[in-house]
Amino acid sequence: MSRQRSMEAILASEYVSIGELVRLTESRYSTLKFYTEEGLLPYEQAEENLTRRYKREETIARIQWIREKKAAGLSIPQIKEALQMTGGS
């Protein structure tokens, strides 16, 4: 297992891993993995390395947006639909 980057290094980085997103957003790993698999969180994946990389600022904003929609009572399918309507997917 690789060594964790410091919070300073994470905050200075344009791209972060899902584990780093967990630390930044205090979300559960399984939740972020589910959002990724549902197409709610965009990522890049280098061919030679299977690690998914997320744009830090954009993805944190997206997670916050999803949380707001969930707090308003929307289901995941409704959130996906809202995301498509705003051109975010």
Side-chain angles (χ1 to χ4, degrees):
M1 184 155 174
S2 63
R3 190 171 176 187
Q4 285 188 349
R5 293 196 297 174
S6 70
M7 191 56 76
E8 292 78 23
I10 293 169
L11 292 172
S13 179
E14 181 181 1
Y15 289 93
V16 295
S17 69
I18 192 168
E20 291 167 343
L21 279 174
V22 168
R23 291 172 64 193
L24 290 169
T25 64
E26 299 181 354
S27 298
R28 293 177 53 162
Y29 178 90
S30 58
T31 299
L32 298 183
K33 187 164 175 46
F34 175 74
Y35 290 167
T36 299
E37 291 170 353
E38 288 294 315
L40 296 173
L41 298 180
Y43 63 91
E44 295 179 13
Q45 191 168 8
E47 287 184 34
E48 73 278 357
N49 185 349
L50 296 178
T51 303
R52 294 174 177 168
R53 302 178 337 145
Y54 300 83
K55 285 193 170 186
R56 181 177 50 84
E57 291 182 5
E58 175 184 315
T59 306
I60 290 172
R62 176 72 61 89
I63 291 166
Q64 182 60 40
W65 183 84
I66 293 168
R67 284 179 173 166
E68 290 169 4
K69 298 302 177 200
K70 286 189 66 156
L74 271 67
S75 66
I76 293 297
Q78 290 170 322
I79 292 171
K80 286 171 73 172
E81 185 177 328
L83 193 58
Q84 290 171 350
M85 289 173 51
T86 61
S89 163

